Amino acid sequence: QSATTTTTTREMADDSACVEDDGTVFTARERQGLFGKSNDDVSVNRLAFRYVFVPWDASCAMEQKVMVIPREREMECLLDYLRDHFRRRGAIDGANARDVGKQKEILKAQLEGERGAEAKTYSDEMMEKALDMQMAQPVALLPGSKKTGFVHVNMYVDDRGISKGLPVNERASLLAAAAGSPQRVMGDAFIARIFDDDNDFKRLDFTIDECSSDAAWMKRAKSLALEREASIGEVQATMAELSGKGAVDLSAGALSARDTSGTSASAMKDLPEHLRPGPHQDFEWTQDEDEVTLKVRVPAGTSKADVSCVFGPGSQKMSLKIATLGDVPGKSMRVIDNEGDVDLLFQEIIPDECSWSLVTDAGERAFEASLPKRQPDERWATFLRRGGPPETPSS
């Protein structure tokens, strides 16, 4: 069945977040220009935004939806709705929906594949908590950057689609592949557009007519994907020339392992900025009932002027750059990125109560940050939703 436009105004049931809209208000806002002159217009502060629902069932039409933006919940409102949707539909569409043992078996195998021996130490209690969590996993179709004016297009899927045994979403998989980001999408999918430059966050519009290989954003995404592929080859060639030891594995672990392999800090700095390694995520973190503590070991001469740390926007984001780390072989000054909906903290924090400092203990310099939990007693399984270093064991 071909895609058709079905505009809805469904929102969250929680009155403190999103509320139902009857369509009349939407029309008035549209006349007032509050949806912008174009879908990616960042000049207005929208009161609502449009996004697209791609059901896994090809017999069901794709839908264009509208969500009213609740006050002070612009980033969280869509994710809250999607988590609820994936939890409900997973219990209906998943082949393993009623087989908790099978879900646990598949999830543990996935975690072992991602985190190796560490996952083998996970207790039954930790696995139960992991199964009980429901996340909306963002897939960057058009990663935001200076080249895109910090406009991102993301696809959101059920993060436990495999363990739930959800069916393959052929249409969403084809859309992701057409954008240069091949994915085997499981279950329902949603596509939305945002603006995020690390300082400001806005939800923009994404409409059903853009679900086409002829759409301008799709052509741009494909072009950037080809550039990234070419850049990887360029990095490998450049690093091989600099080190004289052959092509280099660009994974964070491989780069960290090569700190003493002969690639100097000056050679690393000779690379163009867009070719340097990404966030090394070489940090430690711990937690108690009330807060999460982040620690990054830094060079001895690091001062506050070398640190750029932002908590927010929203309650599940932060960015951290430490200039002196850029002088350390195999590391990047970018510790934690704040790219759209992709690099989210595992749970919500209270940004206004967060703080950071530089400390020196036994001659060792370190960056430390305290992140109060918005939901005390809620245990974090990882620091970032998409993974990263495991929690540092208590001494």
Side-chain angles (χ1 to χ4, degrees):
Q1 179 177 339
S2 60
T4 59
T5 302
T6 305
T7 303
T8 67
T9 53
R10 179 178 181 181
E11 299 299 341
M12 298 288 289
D14 184 357
D15 290 337
S16 66
C18 304
V19 297
E20 292 287 339
D21 195 346
D22 63 5
T24 303
V25 177
F26 162 63
T27 303
R29 290 189 180 114
E30 194 171 35
R31 284 202 303 271
Q32 295 169 27
L34 293 177
F35 279 94
K37 297 177 182 178
S38 63
N39 285 356
D40 57 0
D41 181 7
V42 300
S43 66
V44 297
N45 293 318
R46 291 166 173 75
L47 297 183
F49 65 95
R50 290 168 282 193
Y51 61 107
V52 170
F53 170 43
V54 187
W56 69 264
D57 187 347
S59 68
C60 297
M62 294 166 58
E63 298 178 29
Q64 180 173 295
K65 292 176 172 282
V66 179
M67 181 173 285
V68 176
I69 299 174
R71 183 172 299 177
E72 298 182 358
R73 299 284 297 178
E74 185 163 3
M75 186 183 75
E76 296 88 351
C77 63
L78 178 62
L79 300 178
D80 288 344
Y81 170 69
L82 297 185
R83 282 196 292 267
D84 179 65
H85 175 94
F86 291 141
R87 188 182 294 277
R88 286 186 292 103
R89 292 306 310 181
I92 299 171
D93 301 330
N96 304 326
R98 290 180 172 82
D99 190 342
V100 177
K102 184 68 172 178
Q103 290 188 50
K104 186 185 296 186
E105 177 186 338
I106 296 173
L107 181 59
K108 189 157 189 177
Q110 285 181 274
L111 292 173
E112 289 177 0
E114 294 171 3
R115 304 177 191 177
E118 174 210 339
K120 295 182 183 294
T121 66
Y122 290 172
S123 66
D124 286 341
E125 182 182 2
M126 292 180 68
M127 291 303 302
E128 291 289 347
K129 288 183 177 180
L131 280 175
D132 192 49
M133 293 174 187
Q134 178 62 68
M135 303 296 179
Q137 178 185 346
V139 177
L141 300 183
L142 177 67
S145 65
K146 289 182 179 179
K147 293 182 178 180
T148 65
F150 299 102
V151 171
H152 312 238
V153 175
N154 292 330
M155 177 181 288
Y156 301 87
V157 300
D158 190 329
D159 74 319
R160 287 182 43 228
I162 295 176
S163 62
K164 290 179 181 178
L166 294 177
V168 174
N169 189 325
E170 298 290 354
R171 288 179 297 189
S173 299
L174 289 172
L175 282 169
S181 180
Q183 305 283 332
R184 186 166 178 259
V185 180
M186 315 295 287
D188 291 340
F190 296 80
I191 305 176
R193 177 182 277 114
I194 61 172
F195 168 82
D196 191 342
D197 65 354
D198 282 357
N199 297 312
D200 195 14
F201 179 95
K202 291 183 179 181
R203 291 211 172 271
L204 309 179
D205 290 311
F206 187 90
T207 48
I208 204 162
D209 57 292
E210 295 186 277
C211 295
S212 165
S213 57
D214 294 329
W217 79 269
M218 184 78 81
K219 293 179 180 178
R220 184 62 173 144
K222 185 66 173 178
S223 173
L224 291 173
L226 292 173
E227 286 183 22
R228 288 195 298 272
E229 290 177 10
S231 292
I232 291 175
E234 186 179 343
V235 171
Q236 291 173 334
T238 303
M239 293 297 287
E241 180 182 347
L242 290 171
S243 67
K245 297 194 176 187
V248 177
D249 184 346
L250 295 181
S251 66
L255 282 169
S256 297
R258 294 184 69 258
D259 285 356
T260 58
S261 68
T263 304
S264 67
S266 60
M268 186 71 69
K269 294 173 70 175
D270 286 340
L271 288 171
E273 182 177 358
H274 74 287
L275 295 183
R276 295 176 194 170
H280 58 79
Q281 296 192 1
D282 187 10
F283 56 80
E284 303 168 36
W285 67 281
T286 57
Q287 64 182 312
D288 57 26
E289 291 80 2
D290 300 312
E291 69 177 20
V292 175
T293 300
L294 174 69
K295 180 178 180 179
V296 184
R297 300 176 193 276
V298 298
T302 302
S303 67
K304 288 187 176 181
D306 297 314
V307 179
S308 172
C309 182
V310 177
F311 301 103
S315 58
Q316 279 187 269
K317 302 182 75 174
M318 73 171 289
S319 64
L320 175 60
K321 299 177 182 178
I322 303 177
T324 51
L325 287 175
D327 296 327
V328 179
K331 296 190 183 296
S332 164
M333 64 181 287
R334 296 159 47 214
V335 183
I336 298 173
D337 268 351
N338 193 351
E339 299 178 356
D341 289 349
V342 177
D343 286 328
L344 292 176
L345 300 175
F346 187 75
Q347 295 283 12
E348 292 186 69
I349 59 173
I350 307 175
D352 292 343
E353 297 181 14
C354 293
S355 62
W356 66 268
S357 62
L358 288 170
V359 300
T360 302
D361 183 19
E364 182 180 74
R365 192 76 161 156
F367 165 94
E368 290 188 0
S370 297
L371 291 73
K373 297 177 179 178
R374 187 172 293 278
Q375 296 150 341
D377 299 326
E378 189 75 29
R379 297 292 296 179
W380 290 26
T382 60
F383 188 79
L384 298 172
R385 284 195 180 180
R386 64 184 178 91
E391 181 177 0
T392 304
S394 301
S395 55

